[in-house]
Amino acid sequence: MMSIELYQRINTFNTPAMASLSSRYEKLLLSENHSDCVFLVGTSIFRCHKLVLSAASPVFDAMFFGSMREKDAIEICDMNPKIFQKLIFYVYTARLDLDSDSIEDVLELYYGAEKYLLNDLIVGCLNAVKQKLRFDNILPALELSFCINLKPLIQICTHFLTHCCLNDVQFMTYLKNNYFHITKDCVKAIISHNKDLKSLIWFVFEWCHHECEYLGLKQNDCELITEDLQLDLSKLKTGYEEICVRIKKLSNTVERSYYKACRPFKIDSEDFEWNMTLRSDRFISLLGLIIKSRLKPLSRGVADDATVSSNEYRENLQIEIRAKMAVNNETGNERVILQHIVDKEHTRYNCDLNIVWDDAVVLSPDAEYRVRLTWQTNAFGAEYPCSLQSDEVDGIQFKDITHHFGSIVKGLKFLNLVV
């Protein structure tokens, strides 16, 4: 029997010692020396060691040393060789690198981790799924999640769909142009896992029309498909409007810390636009900007509108947000995701101007976004107060690229999508 002293020494291994042990097991796996069990996965053969596998998994332990122990080569029919190899490698080394794997591969590895009760691998796969979910893979991930019926995975995927997709106009646009067909059973499961059915109305509406095309039915036969779902599609517009209102009420405001005043930014024929970049460490839904309004001019002529007081002016500017598209890990072209116009808005001089748009845009943690403010010629001569401000607030990075010193952008209005 192992002594208490020896047990304590084993459990106080430092990191280099553990790494060395991992390296030894890796060499044992690769060399196939002393292997005593064989797995057949497709056309691939894996020679392993019963004791190592049994120590990691109670399923393997029962497979090799239980009353119904396997004696011959074990055939694995529900995993592909690449994923099974990654699972076995984790068992031997406790190392996991899923950065370059597709979400489909991660989902299959998660299935294997659940099958063999590898708890640490389950956690690693679920964390990787959270990081990899996007507009273009959420529906395939949902379909597969419900197919293998694993609750933790279903919870993560439905949470992402609800908070990052259903309330966002970008996802609606993406779905119209890049639709992925899911089964009616999957749609029913999504509905059953979503307490707020109103946010699902437009999604189900879109699915129904594609289902008609998929089944070769006419669009006026859509009700035949939706009767089984028990949703009233006539409430589509009302439900969507309520979603937009709710998003605005739940919005957060973040402002950069003020450090020092700088020379004002003056609008003229050479400087009539402001550019900055944004990065977020999480998924957020961007609802608006907070910028500084104009400095009150020292002398003022006759107002162009009798309703505008001497303390106010009419703000006119255009806001454009572009997502920087990465190609082969390098920044490539930019894609416009928002255009918003502030048209003759009554604004007080030298105060905060809160700009909110109707259609929120989702910022992804793996992308950089450029914000561009432009003014027309009627703004020439106007000055906006500039100041040095913090570059990061609450995980959101600001980088002003128009001027070297100072900024007119104070902060953002946004909604956290994943918590």
Side-chain angles (χ1 to χ4, degrees):
M1 180 178 295
M2 184 183 297
S3 67
I4 296 178
E5 181 181 357
L6 179 58
Y7 179 82
Q8 291 174 340
R9 287 172 59 192
I10 292 175
N11 283 276
T12 55
F13 274 167
N14 56 25
T15 300
M18 292 300 291
S20 176
L21 183 62
S22 171
S23 177
R24 293 174 194 170
Y25 277 113
E26 181 181 358
K27 291 179 180 178
L28 182 65
L29 174 65
L30 297 177
S31 69
E32 299 183 351
N33 289 337
H34 312 299
S35 61
D36 53 2
C37 61
V38 176
F39 293 92
L40 305 178
V41 189
T43 58
S44 300
I45 299 175
F46 296 89
R47 302 185 186 280
C48 303
H49 305 81
K50 295 179 180 179
L51 191 60
V52 176
L53 299 178
S54 298
S57 162
V59 177
F60 283 130
D61 186 56
M63 184 183 296
F64 297 126
F65 301 107
S67 57
M68 301 294 290
R69 65 177 64 95
E70 298 281 354
K71 297 180 180 179
D72 301 321
I74 302 167
E75 187 174 0
I76 305 296
C77 302
D78 53 356
M79 297 179 69
N80 73 59
K82 182 181 73 171
I83 302 304
F84 187 78
Q85 182 181 39
K86 191 175 284 286
L87 183 145
I88 294 297
F89 184 81
Y90 177 82
V91 169
Y92 276 75
T93 68
R95 297 204 303 271
L96 185 65
D97 181 10
L98 300 175
D99 291 343
S100 60
D101 289 85
S102 68
I103 192 168
E104 290 80 8
D105 287 346
V106 176
L107 291 173
E108 186 175 345
L109 182 61
Y110 171 75
Y111 165 77
E114 286 276 10
K115 176 182 177 180
Y116 296 107
L117 300 181
L118 301 169
N119 293 331
D120 291 340
L121 183 58
I122 288 173
V123 174
C125 289
L126 289 177
N127 288 334
V129 170
K130 289 180 182 179
Q131 296 297 321
K132 291 177 181 291
L133 283 175
R134 299 290 185 271
F135 284 172
D136 61 352
N137 61 31
I138 179 58
L139 293 183
L142 274 167
E143 182 78 15
L144 184 56
S145 299
F146 289 120
C147 179
I148 60 180
N149 193 30
L150 295 173
K151 291 183 179 179
L153 193 58
I154 293 173
Q155 184 177 2
I156 288 174
C157 291
T158 52
H159 183 87
F160 181 85
L161 178 73
T162 302
H163 292 82
C164 296
C165 302
L166 295 181
N167 293 334
D168 187 71
V169 175
Q170 286 184 81
F171 182 65
M172 298 182 195
T173 303
Y174 176 85
L175 201 62
K176 289 181 181 295
N177 298 324
N178 305 274
Y179 188 76
F180 177 87
H181 184 266
I182 58 177
T183 62
K184 185 171 67 175
D185 289 339
C186 184
V187 174
K188 285 184 175 181
I190 293 172
I191 293 172
S192 68
H193 283 80
N194 199 308
K195 296 180 181 179
D196 183 11
L197 294 181
K198 291 181 180 179
S199 66
L200 280 172
I201 292 176
W202 77 264
F203 173 74
V204 175
F205 179 82
E206 189 72 25
W207 175 83
C208 288
H209 283 279
H210 282 278
E211 184 74 355
C212 282
E213 295 179 3
Y214 183 76
L215 297 176
L217 301 175
K218 296 180 180 179
Q219 290 300 318
N220 54 11
D221 293 328
C222 194
E223 292 183 4
L224 298 175
I225 300 173
T226 59
E227 284 178 358
D228 191 36
L229 300 177
Q230 298 179 347
L231 286 180
D232 184 1
L233 297 184
S234 65
K235 297 180 180 179
L236 170 65
K237 184 176 180 181
T238 302
Y240 178 68
E241 290 174 350
E242 290 178 359
I243 291 169
C244 293
V245 171
R246 187 171 72 253
I247 287 177
K248 291 179 181 179
K249 287 182 178 179
L250 294 173
S251 65
N252 302 306
T253 299
V254 61
E255 293 194 14
R256 305 160 73 179
S257 299
Y258 172 87
Y259 293 146
K260 180 182 178 182
C262 304
R263 177 181 294 181
F265 172 61
K266 185 175 181 179
I267 310 297
D268 55 33
S269 58
E270 295 182 356
D271 287 324
F272 57 88
E273 68 175 57
W274 187 279
N275 289 273
M276 68 177 300
T277 60
L278 290 175
R279 275 188 178 273
S280 175
D281 64 353
R282 60 196 181 277
F283 280 97
I284 65 171
S285 184
L286 186 60
L287 306 172
L289 291 178
I290 305 170
I291 69 170
K292 299 179 180 182
S293 64
R294 298 179 187 178
L295 292 170
K296 186 175 182 179
L298 298 177
S299 60
R300 194 162 182 268
V302 179
D304 59 354
D305 190 330
T307 62
V308 179
S309 70
S310 60
N311 293 319
E312 292 182 337
Y313 71 98
R314 283 186 161 193
E315 183 62 86
N316 294 275
L317 64 90
Q318 178 174 320
I319 301 172
E320 186 177 80
I321 299 180
R322 292 174 173 263
K324 295 191 175 183
M325 310 298 291
V327 179
N328 297 326
N329 296 323
E330 295 183 2
T331 301
N333 297 329
E334 296 181 337
R335 175 172 58 89
V336 176
I337 61 174
L338 174 87
Q339 285 184 323
H340 178 77
I341 296 176
V342 178
D343 183 30
K344 299 180 181 179
E345 183 172 329
H346 288 216
T347 307
R348 293 183 63 85
Y349 286 107
N350 204 20
C351 70
D352 290 348
L353 176 58
N354 292 281
I355 302 171
V356 179
W357 37 81
D358 294 330
D359 298 334
V361 292
V362 173
L363 304 191
S364 168
D366 59 358
E368 183 176 80
Y369 300 86
R370 182 162 70 94
V371 181
R372 179 172 175 259
L373 284 65
T374 57
W375 289 263
Q376 302 298 322
T377 56
N378 57 11
F380 286 1
E383 292 184 324
Y384 288 81
C386 271
S387 61
L388 292 177
Q389 301 170 54
S390 56
D391 294 331
E392 182 173 348
V393 184
D394 190 24
I396 301 172
Q397 296 179 359
F398 301 79
K399 183 179 179 182
D400 299 283
I401 55 180
T402 294
H403 284 200
H404 294 292
F405 300 101
S407 176
I408 66 172
V409 179
K410 293 187 63 176
L412 306 175
K413 288 185 177 295
F414 68 96
L415 181 70
N416 283 317
L417 295 179
V418 179
V419 294

